[in-house]
């Protein structure tokens, strides 16, 4: 359990317009000791706690922030439980309960906004929540002082507004989306990039270990961003030929297989499975059933491999050796097979004749 003594002491002292020297004189200690307490570098003797609490007219529990610690545990559980679900409706119900209990926590409000949007299936439903989404977003932008949460909510609103631009009479235009994007930082201004610049100044082994972990995480992020960018660049656009799209996706897979040579694709697991699936449908559209089956099979095998991974798995490719991957960061576990099965049987434009073939049926059997 976290103890919030230091920050609570500082808060109580400033509320009463007292200096660290004032507190030190009252307790008979040095002001350096009080300074260390407030920074969380040390704590007073336990026998002093009732005296300090009495001085500020609060309980010892309030001084220590016991309730804050308990609340933080609850908040973290809400964030984790909802974050591990790919069932957006179920995640929305969790977050609805969370913001009702902690309406002032901006982390919860940000995730609630995301799950609220993701839980809607039809254009009418997506448009109906616009007032609530705007209220949450405006609250975060006006009152939240944590930049990461503010930027996260901007990213969420960009995605949501982009969807609304395709709905007739939504009142949201591309210009509205561009205005939000213009106020967001460039990639080189991100935390991920900044953390990779620390190495020349680090000497402590623990600091170096944190730096290496940050670099690995940034590589993961960059590869997933690369995939997303290329996909949105050409996959949905009619002016790009099928051959162009196939070559682009195969280049992506070459890069992903190069960086993730051990077959553990980290944050790119979904992208890799989808890429092989997309290649299957694209090759089918060209009449190349052999390549279509080859790529659909590879997608199915990866989905099965992902579902069978333990929650935490070790990684052994060159840049990730010694690190681990928590597949819960991608949502609920054991869902890859069901997702790919749905895509292959319902979404991909494959003919009934193709789906009736023994080879395709064998692929579906892999998915269970």
């Amino acid at each position: 359990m976290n103890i919030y003594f230091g920050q609570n002491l500082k808060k109580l002292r400033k509320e009463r317009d007292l200096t660290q020297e004032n507190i030190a004189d009252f307790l008979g200690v040095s002001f350096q000791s009080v300074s260390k307490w407030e920074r969380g570098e040390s704590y007073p003797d336990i026998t002093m706690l009732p005296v300090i609490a009495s001085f500020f007219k609060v309980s010892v529990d309030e001084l220590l922030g016991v309730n804050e610690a308990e609340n933080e545990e609850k908040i973290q559980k809400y964030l984790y439980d909802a974050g591990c679900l790919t069932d957006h409706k179920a995640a929305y119900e969790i977050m609805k309960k969370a913001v009702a209990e902690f309406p002032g926590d901006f982390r919860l409000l940000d995730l609630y906004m995301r799950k609220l949007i993701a839980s809607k299936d039809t254009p009418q439903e997506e448009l109906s929540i616009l007032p609530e989404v705007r209220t949450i977003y405006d609250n975060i932008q006006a009152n939240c002082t944590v930049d990461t949460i503010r930027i996260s909510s901007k990213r969420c609103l960009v995605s949501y507004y982009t969807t609304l631009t395709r709905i007739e009479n939504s009142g949201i235009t591309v210009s509205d989306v561009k205005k939000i994007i213009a106020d967001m930082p460039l990639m080189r201004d991100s935390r991920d990039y900044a953390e990779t610049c620390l190495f020349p100044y680090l000497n402590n082994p623990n600091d170096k270990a944190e730096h290496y972990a940050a670099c690995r995480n940034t590589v993961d992020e960059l590869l997933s961003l690369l995939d997303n960018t290329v996909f949105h660049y050409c996959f949905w656009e009619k002016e790009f030929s099928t051959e162009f799209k196939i070559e682009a996706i195969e280049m992506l897979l070459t890069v992903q297989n190069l960086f993730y040579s051990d077959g553990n694709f980290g944050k790119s697991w979904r992208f890799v499975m989808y890429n092989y699936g997309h290649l299957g449908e694209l090759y089918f559209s060209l009449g190349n059933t052999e390549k279509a089956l080859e790529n659909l099979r590879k997608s199915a095998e990866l989905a099965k491999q992902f579902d069978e991974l333990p929650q935490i798995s070790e990684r052994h490719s060159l840049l990730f050796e010694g690190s681990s991957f928590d597949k819960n960061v991608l949502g609920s576990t054991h869902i890859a097979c069901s997702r790919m099965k749905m895509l292959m049987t319902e979404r991909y434009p494959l003919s009934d004749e193709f789906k009736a073939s023994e080879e395709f049926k064998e692929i579906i059997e892999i998915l269970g």
Side-chain angles (χ1 to χ4, degrees):
M1 180 180 70
N2 293 323
I3 297 297
Y4 294 83
F5 170 77
Q7 62 193 59
N8 284 341
L9 175 62
K10 184 176 181 179
K11 176 174 175 287
L12 290 166
R13 176 176 62 78
K14 289 194 169 185
E15 285 177 350
R16 288 156 178 79
D17 198 25
L18 297 171
T19 66
Q20 292 178 341
E21 287 83 354
N22 294 149
I23 304 300
D25 289 343
F26 173 76
L27 296 174
V29 299
S30 67
F31 80 89
Q32 290 93 339
S33 295
V34 176
S35 178
K36 286 183 178 181
W37 296 347
E38 291 188 356
R39 295 198 303 270
E41 295 176 3
S42 64
Y43 297 98
D45 186 277
I46 193 170
T47 58
M48 281 191 178
L49 293 178
V51 178
I52 299 171
S54 176
F55 177 79
F56 287 110
K57 296 181 173 55
V58 297
S59 68
V60 171
D61 278 356
E62 187 176 351
L63 178 65
L64 293 176
V66 171
N67 290 337
E68 292 177 54
E70 291 175 351
N71 288 343
E72 181 63 19
E73 288 179 8
K74 290 181 181 179
I75 289 169
Q76 289 299 329
K77 188 173 190 311
Y78 277 130
L79 292 169
Y80 182 82
D81 289 349
C84 288
L85 287 175
T86 51
D87 182 339
H88 296 303
K89 293 184 185 298
Y92 166 66
E93 292 300 325
I94 290 175
M95 294 314 300
K96 187 176 179 181
K97 180 180 178 183
V99 297
E101 186 172 358
F102 301 104
D105 191 279
F106 293 110
R107 294 167 297 177
L108 296 178
L109 284 172
D110 180 47
L111 187 56
Y112 171 78
M113 181 169 65
R114 293 175 179 280
K115 296 307 179 182
L116 169 65
I117 295 168
S119 67
K120 305 309 175 186
D121 298 321
T122 68
Q124 292 77 14
E125 289 179 337
E126 290 170 335
L127 190 54
S128 70
I129 61 173
L130 178 56
E132 183 177 5
V133 171
R134 275 179 166 159
T135 297
I136 298 170
Y137 174 79
D138 290 343
N139 181 14
I140 292 174
Q141 294 304 311
N143 301 306
C144 180
T145 59
V146 181
D147 286 341
T148 53
I149 298 175
R150 289 164 53 83
I151 293 170
S152 175
S153 68
K154 285 180 181 290
R155 190 169 64 246
C156 178
L157 197 69
V158 164
S159 178
Y160 176 56
Y161 271 16
T162 301
T163 299
L164 295 188
T165 61
R166 299 192 288 268
I167 299 176
E168 189 176 358
N169 299 321
S170 69
I172 302 300
T173 67
V174 173
S175 295
D176 295 320
V177 180
K178 287 181 177 179
K179 286 178 183 176
I180 304 169
I181 294 174
D183 196 35
M184 297 176 72
L186 298 170
M187 282 189 288
R188 67 177 62 243
D189 298 323
S190 69
R191 184 188 69 186
D192 302 284
Y193 179 76
E195 285 180 330
T196 66
C197 303
L198 288 172
F199 177 70
Y201 314 104
L202 298 178
N203 295 310
N204 185 295
N206 290 332
D207 289 338
K208 286 187 177 182
E210 288 184 12
H211 168 68
Y212 298 150
C215 289
R216 289 193 291 263
N217 181 68
T218 300
V219 173
D220 259 344
E221 290 289 345
L222 287 172
L223 288 169
S224 62
L225 181 60
L226 173 66
D227 195 298
N228 253 322
T229 304
V230 172
F231 193 78
H232 286 98
Y233 170 51
C234 67
F235 190 80
W236 300 112
E237 301 299 330
K238 293 181 180 179
E239 53 260 45
F240 292 100
S241 68
T242 300
E243 290 82 359
F244 181 95
K245 294 175 183 179
I246 287 175
E247 187 171 353
I249 294 175
E250 287 181 338
M251 283 194 298
L252 273 175
L253 286 170
T254 297
V255 172
Q256 288 163 329
N257 281 304
L258 180 65
F259 275 89
Y260 302 118
S261 57
D262 66 340
N264 189 333
F265 297 100
K267 293 182 180 180
S268 290
W269 263 104
R270 275 204 202 100
F271 298 122
V272 175
M273 288 185 289
Y274 290 163
N275 283 339
Y276 279 111
H278 292 316
L279 278 179
E281 64 166 310
L282 290 170
Y283 272 117
F284 174 80
S285 71
L286 294 179
N288 190 336
T289 57
E290 182 179 349
K291 293 290 287 185
L293 289 166
E294 175 188 325
N295 283 284
L296 290 173
R297 178 178 289 275
K298 180 65 174 178
S299 177
E301 290 171 347
L302 287 174
K304 188 172 188 295
Q305 182 182 339
F306 177 82
D307 281 352
E308 291 178 350
L309 276 178
Q311 180 186 332
I312 307 293
S313 57
E314 295 299 315
R315 307 176 73 179
H316 301 289
S317 54
L318 180 65
L319 294 182
F320 299 96
E321 179 65 48
S323 63
S324 60
F325 166 62
D326 181 352
K327 68 178 182 179
N328 273 8
V329 301
L330 301 183
S332 297
T333 57
H334 311 295
I335 50 83
C337 282
S338 60
R339 173 66 176 169
M340 293 313 304
K341 185 175 183 179
M342 182 275 293
L343 290 174
M344 291 184 194
T345 58
E346 300 177 26
R347 297 285 182 87
Y348 292 162
L350 308 172
S351 69
D352 291 339
E353 181 183 3
F354 180 82
K355 290 191 281 191
S357 68
E358 290 303 317
E359 294 92 339
F360 184 79
K361 288 179 180 178
E362 288 176 4
I363 293 172
I364 299 304
E365 285 181 8
I366 293 173
L367 297 170

